[in-house]
Amino acid sequence: MCDIKDALPTLCEYINSLINTGLTPEHLRLAKYNAPDEIVAEKLWSTLRILSYHAAREKRDDIDFRNYDAPSAVKLHLALLQYPVIEFYSLSQDGEHNRDALIALAWLLGTQDVLTAILRAKLADGVLGAECSHVDSSEVSIKSFNINTPPSLIAVPNNQPLSTSAQLSSILHLNATVNLNLREINELIRERAKLISKVHAASINVSGLPHLSVSELVLTKRLSRTRILDDGGDGSSENDRRRLREFREAGILLDVRAKWLRKRHVFFDWMATVIQEHKRSTELNPRVINTRELAAFSSLLRHLIRDKLRDFKSEKTVDGDGSRNWSLNCPSRAHRSQCNNAEAQSWLDDLNERQDREEKNFQRNRQRLADELEQMLKLIPSVVRV
């Protein structure tokens, strides 16, 4: 357990880099021993509020309880995620039950993998996601017309064959274009090797870079030409600074995630000791469930469910012939039959079908009973003497 001194700071650094709640290892240590502290409670419940929201959104994207206070929002999100600890829903943010909040936090990290979901969304919305989804407009230049375009490249109708001289001119031009492109490719390869060597030499004490992406090559090339790190520049240079900063932040975030994955098992081993401490504490001092808080949450949950059902019942579906179906608005079929003649006829048809089915069943049972009675009479020996 000596590595827990490294695991807790890594976890806090990872969480703060994603949601920045100010959680520290000391908060987690105090929560383990359930030390009463309102600041620890505020940090834990704030972290739970954001993490539980993202975990619930992974299940259903129409869920959002952020307009409630922190304890209610956390409980509603965890109820949606089916957090199995009933006692948790009777807690309040008073700083007296920080260990329960720590256990709920570990449950979110272990069962919902919520940090990975937040990281994925953060990277997708950042510069790395933009690199994979679109091309930087500053790197693209479209030439609508070039007066130097040779006549051999001017489009001609397919039904007009080119002359021999025009074909030779086109072949020579294409050959020259290919040779020029090959020479430029070789120059770019040499320049790329030089730039990669410079970048690796400059960052050898920071991190090993196995390769560079296309956007990083373009960015490095522009940096080497304009010297924006020293001299400043125009708007494009400011954009380069922003992109460079975003690349650096994404790299730091990925490094922190890699460190957390290496220390993750240590944290959950430590959480096993937290749960043991919690069980020992509850055995020595049995907890009295706050029925008032539990009743308040139950009332809130019932109110939300009632609103959902009311919204569901208020929806009116339109049939194919344009008539409205009021079946969701009426509490019984008798009322529905009063609202809609088609519903009354359908109900009557169902009753007739049920009556026919019962009649057939009655006749079948009657015939079977008669057959059994006749069989029994045949088995009775004759006792009448003549």
Side-chain angles (χ1 to χ4, degrees), residues 31-237:
K32 174 182 178 179
Y33 299 103
N34 209 26
D37 194 318
E38 294 183 357
I39 297 178
V40 174
E42 192 273 333
K43 296 297 182 182
L44 287 174
W45 283 92
S46 299
T47 304
L48 282 174
R49 182 176 189 174
I50 300 176
L51 294 184
S52 61
Y53 163 74
H54 286 281
R57 294 279 291 186
E58 287 291 312
K59 301 293 183 181
R60 290 185 54 180
D61 55 2
D62 60 337
I63 295 299
D64 189 357
F65 299 121
R66 289 179 296 178
N67 55 335
Y68 293 89
D69 60 291
S72 299
V74 171
K75 293 175 186 178
L76 289 172
H77 289 142
L78 291 182
L80 176 67
L81 298 171
Q82 299 182 0
Y83 183 56
V85 182
I86 303 299
E87 293 81 1
F88 181 83
Y89 301 102
S90 65
L91 302 180
S92 60
Q93 187 179 337
D94 55 2
E96 298 292 334
H97 305 285
N98 293 331
R99 188 191 293 125
D100 297 83
L102 175 60
I103 295 174
L105 174 63
W107 183 83
L108 278 176
L109 299 180
T111 62
Q112 306 300 318
D113 200 13
V114 62
L115 294 181
T116 301
I118 299 176
L119 174 67
R120 189 186 306 115
K122 195 177 184 68
L123 292 179
D125 295 337
V127 64
L128 294 180
E131 179 185 356
C132 299
S133 60
H134 63 83
V135 180
D136 188 3
S137 59
S138 63
E139 306 297 333
V140 179
S141 60
I142 301 176
K143 297 181 180 180
S144 59
F145 180 74
N146 189 354
I147 60 176
N148 296 323
T149 302
S152 59
L153 295 183
I154 298 177
V156 295
N158 294 331
N159 57 359
Q160 296 182 6
L162 294 175
S163 62
T164 303
S165 60
Q167 292 179 5
L168 291 176
S169 299
S170 177
I171 292 173
L172 291 175
H173 175 75
L174 293 176
N175 187 27
T177 303
V178 170
N179 291 331
L180 179 62
N181 290 337
L182 291 176
R183 186 164 57 252
E184 290 181 350
I185 289 174
N186 292 330
E187 293 177 357
L188 289 175
I189 291 176
R190 288 194 295 270
E191 186 174 2
R192 176 181 181 273
K194 293 179 182 178
L195 292 175
I196 290 178
S197 299
K198 291 180 180 179
V199 172
H200 285 192
S203 60
I204 190 171
N205 296 325
V206 179
S207 62
L209 298 178
H211 67 279
L212 294 177
S213 66
V214 176
S215 61
E216 290 172 325
L217 282 173
V218 175
L219 182 61
T220 307
K221 181 178 179 180
R222 190 183 301 119
L223 290 176
S224 63
R225 286 183 175 179
T226 60
R227 300 178 180 272
I228 63 172
L229 294 179
D230 298 328
D231 303 334
D234 52 5
S236 62
S237 299

Side-chain angles (χ1 to χ4, degrees), residues 352-370:
N352 292 332
E353 182 181 356
R354 181 177 179 181
Q355 183 179 3
D356 294 340
R357 188 167 56 252
E358 293 293 337
E359 183 67 23
K360 292 179 180 179
N361 190 29
F362 173 74
Q363 294 295 338
R364 185 169 54 254
N365 292 336
R366 181 178 180 180
Q367 183 63 35
R368 186 173 65 251
L369 183 60

